[in-house]
Amino acid sequence: MKQFIASLLIAFMATTAFADVASERDKTKKGAVIGGVAGAIAGAIIHNNRGSGNAKRGAVVGGVVGAATGAIVGAMMDKQERELRQIDGIDVARTDDDELKVTMRNEILFDFNSAGLRSSSRDELREMADVFNRYNDTTIVVAGHTDSVGSTAYNQGLSNRRANTVSNYLEDLGVRGSRLDAVGYGESRPKASNSSAGGRQQNRRVEIYVRANA
């Protein structure tokens, strides 16, 4: 049985390595393949630990369930990605099969040195909330970032306030509070060098991570 599970583990590592080179259009299939192999491993272990001794049967059942789950999650994230990309003023990146990153510049969301939302930014956030509310089985992390102008402590507090402002507004628009998590990183995670105006502009941002629930 140990040899059988070891073979499945080798297959899983080979599958994930192969899947890393898949194109954007293949993400749903990639999720199904990885989910299937992972489910097979889990099924084999569970069946063996329960004393049935039939690890191969457990692997088959687990593989079917895992493949179906991976395909469903991949398709759900594909749809959200397409819908979010239709919203003006935001950048959307697929960071993993089960995660999207939405980036908004602070200049779009806030006035200088303020944590109050601009009236013009509310339309974009309203469209985002509509998408989030159509796909409830996700967790949403709102992360605030600043450039390095000003003290570290002040920038940390400003990023916290801005992340909370966005998170609270999404909740006001109907996104369940239990799905939302706000965090500020201050100036600690720059995207670009703070030595230029363009770099500082890139670093002043709010990132929203949309993660499929396990």
Side-chain angles (χ1 to χ4, degrees):
M1 211 288 293
K2 290 181 179 179
Q3 184 177 0
F4 177 68
I5 293 178
S7 298
L8 286 175
L9 287 169
I10 292 171
F12 177 72
M13 288 185 288
T15 300
T16 53
F18 170 77
D20 282 339
V21 302
S23 68
E24 285 292 320
R25 293 175 299 177
D26 295 328
K27 286 188 179 294
T28 300
K29 293 180 181 179
K30 174 182 171 182
V33 171
I34 294 176
V37 178
I41 295 170
I45 294 172
I46 291 170
H47 265 65
N48 185 70
N49 288 343
R50 285 179 176 174
S52 68
N54 195 341
K56 291 183 179 180
R57 179 182 177 186
V60 172
V61 174
V64 172
V65 173
T69 301
I72 291 170
V73 169
M76 177 185 70
M77 300 307 288
D78 288 343
K79 290 180 179 179
Q80 285 187 87
E81 181 179 5
R82 287 194 296 271
E83 293 179 23
L84 288 169
R85 286 188 183 279
Q86 295 175 11
I87 302 173
D88 292 333
I90 67 172
D91 295 321
V92 183
R94 187 71 169 266
T95 54
D96 207 338
D97 290 337
D98 59 353
E99 181 181 84
L100 302 172
K101 181 175 75 172
V102 181
T103 304
M104 302 183 74
R105 294 194 309 275
N106 282 349
E107 287 82 355
I108 294 175
L109 292 170
F110 310 103
D111 288 323
F112 177 72
N113 200 31
S114 169
L117 284 174
R118 285 182 169 179
S119 58
S120 59
S121 68
R122 296 174 185 266
D123 290 339
E124 286 84 358
L125 289 172
R126 189 174 294 109
E127 290 184 68
M128 291 171 61
D130 288 342
V131 175
F132 297 155
N133 285 329
R134 284 195 290 273
Y135 302 95
N136 288 313
D137 200 17
T138 58
T139 297
I140 301 163
V141 178
V142 182
H145 303 269
T146 72
D147 59 27
S148 62
V149 177
S151 71
T152 300
Y154 181 81
N155 287 333
Q156 179 62 52
L158 180 60
S159 69
N160 287 337
R161 292 193 297 276
R162 286 177 163 174
N164 280 313
T165 295
V166 173
S167 178
N168 291 338
Y169 188 62
L170 290 174
E171 186 171 3
D172 289 343
L173 294 170
V175 181
R176 291 198 314 272
S178 59
R179 298 174 59 198
L180 292 162
D181 184 22
V183 59
Y185 291 106
E187 61 188 66
S188 65
R189 297 188 177 185
K191 288 180 64 176
S193 172
N194 280 299
S195 61
S196 69
R200 291 191 294 274
Q201 183 184 51
Q202 290 184 61
N203 293 334
R204 298 189 296 267
R205 67 199 190 276
V206 169
E207 294 173 339
I208 299 177
Y209 292 87
V210 185
R211 296 167 180 161
N213 295 332

